[in-house]
Structure formats: structure tokens, C-alpha cells
Amino acid sequence: MNPEKMYTFLSRTSTQPDVTVQEIEASRYALLRRISPCLRHHMVRHLQPISMIYEVMDHKLSTPEPDLANLHRQADKINNFARAAMDQCLDMSTWLAPDRCDVVPLGAGVKECVDLLAASMNFRGYRLVNLTGNIALNVRRDALRMVLIAALLAGTDSLDQPANVLLNASAGDRDYLTLAMVVDRVEGVGAEVYEDGYRKLTWRDVEVLAAAEDVFLTFLDNRMTMSFAVESAPLVN
């Protein structure tokens, strides 16, 4: 990261920056536009095997004496993939209409974000390294999604060479979890410049989304930290 191109982020003891509703909505829209190809891929990945299984079943049904037990097992596979696809689509829809009461263990939430972006970022020359581990304390899922994804995109959009992006976490106190993002440039060939018909995310987008989600940011050299409030686990009726 080039410090001259970055915003100075606020510590947790600082006053949150003034942002407008229009800025928040614009930054959220920009983020969703940027990750829409990744969301689409995750929505359809469970549907792809269904057509392959159908072709196998169709071939077996054309035989004089089809193996009905085997066909039944294949039908069960189709049912399982269809259920998984439905669950995935419902989960992906929460990016558009999040539940602010929805919480997630920090480790699982970071893994979700890394899994969503890893393939597309690797294609551009950026390797995501998730070192957060299985931290079980909960944070708001939408806050983690918005701020972490925005930081990952803004941090790599501003680069012109490959880099390793390292994520680590710690429990600083009982009330907050700190997630750190470190960008280490890799000397060598240039990275794939983002040119996909929509604008790059900026550090102002990260700042705006963090303010909207009550996430506190700090920045030093190539290290950025995000502090998320620890949330109670939801009550089970």
C-alpha cells in the first residue's frame, strides 16, 4: 500500500467521521457491484453437477434393464444438490438484505469472505492468507462482510504489482475483536489491473462503511486493523 494514497484511519478512541446516508448507500452499492460475479458463481456452483447427473441417468434409463437402485441413488444426489443450491441462494440474498441481528463467529465470518474473493483475487495476482484461526466470539455478520470485503478490494485496487494479503485476529479485550490486514508486495511481474466496467473501491469507501457499521479502523504503514464489537450469541427458542 502506498501511504500517500491512503486515508488516515481513526483509532477506537477517536470520533467517527461524518458520513452522509448518500455516501453509505453509494459505497454499499459499489461493493455489491464489485462482488456480484463472485456471488453469482457461489449461487450456481451446486446447480452445475445436476445436469451431469441427469445425463448419466438418462443414458442408464435407455438400457434394456436399468439398475433402479443406482438410479434412485442418483436421484438422491440431485435432490441433495438442489437443496444445497437453494440454501446457498438464500444465504447469498442476505448480502442484499442483511439482518442486523445476524451474528457469526469471527473465524467463520473471515473464512466466508476469503472463500468468496480468493479465486478472483488470485487471478489478479493477490494471494489471500487467512491466519485468523477458529475464533469463536461473535461479531455482526453484515459489519464484518461489508468492512472486510471493502478493505480487501480497496487494498488491492490501489496496487500495481502482486501481493500477499495476510489476515490475523486477536481478542484485545472482552468487548472488541481486532482483525488485522497486512499487504506485503511481491516483487516481480505486474498484477492484473482491475478493469471490469465499474469503478475501483477507495479507502473512502472503507471509511464510510466502517462508520456506518460502527467498526473502528487504524492504519500504520502497510497494516490496517478493524475493531468489531463482540456480540452475544442469539437466543434459541
Side-chain angles (χ1 to χ4, degrees):
M1 296 182 189
N2 184 348
E4 296 179 356
K5 296 182 179 180
M6 299 185 65
Y7 282 86
T8 300
F9 292 115
L10 301 173
S11 68
R12 202 165 68 211
T13 57
S14 301
T15 303
Q16 285 282 31
D18 292 329
V19 297
T20 65
V21 173
Q22 289 78 9
E23 281 186 294
I24 294 170
E25 293 302 314
S27 293
R28 283 177 175 163
Y29 177 79
L31 184 145
L32 292 173
R33 274 289 302 270
R34 284 293 304 276
I35 65 173
S36 59
C38 300
L39 295 177
R40 181 170 60 246
H41 171 73
H42 279 253
M43 289 175 69
V44 303
R45 61 180 177 172
H46 292 294
L47 295 174
Q48 293 170 342
I50 292 178
S51 61
M52 299 173 61
I53 296 173
Y54 169 78
E55 291 178 1
V56 172
M57 292 180 66
D58 185 59
H59 175 72
K60 291 182 177 181
L61 283 169
S62 64
T63 61
E65 296 183 3
D67 184 344
L68 296 181
N70 181 269
L71 289 171
H72 183 72
R73 288 193 294 270
Q74 298 298 319
D76 283 341
K77 289 182 181 180
I78 289 179
N79 183 55
N80 291 336
F81 278 118
R83 287 179 178 273
M86 181 180 68
D87 291 341
Q88 188 73 59
C89 288
L90 290 174
D91 187 59
M92 290 297 102
S93 70
T94 61
W95 285 87
L96 303 177
D99 181 353
R100 291 187 63 85
C101 296
D102 191 13
V103 299
V104 64
L106 181 68
V110 172
K111 183 179 184 302
E112 176 190 28
C113 295
V114 169
D115 289 347
L116 183 70
L117 292 184
S120 62
M121 284 202 163
N122 186 65
F123 178 78
R124 294 174 53 207
Y126 306 116
R127 185 168 70 98
L128 301 185
V129 182
N130 181 9
L131 303 174
T132 56
N134 297 319
I135 295 180
L137 293 174
N138 293 317
V139 298
R140 283 202 305 109
R141 190 185 191 192
D142 186 44
L144 179 60
R145 281 174 163 182
M146 290 289 107
V147 179
L148 176 55
I149 293 289
L152 290 170
L153 291 175
T156 52
D157 282 354
S158 62
L159 299 179
D160 57 3
Q161 65 187 84
N164 294 322
V165 183
L166 312 179
L167 297 172
N168 211 333
S170 61
D173 53 48
R174 294 181 302 173
D175 299 323
Y176 284 89
L177 290 173
T178 299
L179 178 63
M181 182 182 83
V182 178
V183 178
D184 287 334
R185 294 173 182 264
V186 176
E187 298 297 333
V189 297
E192 183 78 16
V193 178
Y194 172 74
E195 292 180 357
D196 198 24
Y198 195 68
R199 73 171 177 87
K200 297 179 179 181
L201 257 69
T202 67
W203 290 108
R204 177 59 180 174
D205 291 312
V206 182
E207 187 180 42
V208 167
L209 292 171
E213 301 293 348
D214 294 324
V215 176
F216 295 89
L217 308 176
T218 60
F219 171 74
L220 179 63
D221 296 330
N222 65 334
R223 176 185 173 90
M224 173 183 173
T225 63
M226 298 156 268
S227 294
F228 298 88
V230 174
E231 303 289 343
S232 302
L235 297 176
V236 178
N237 294 328

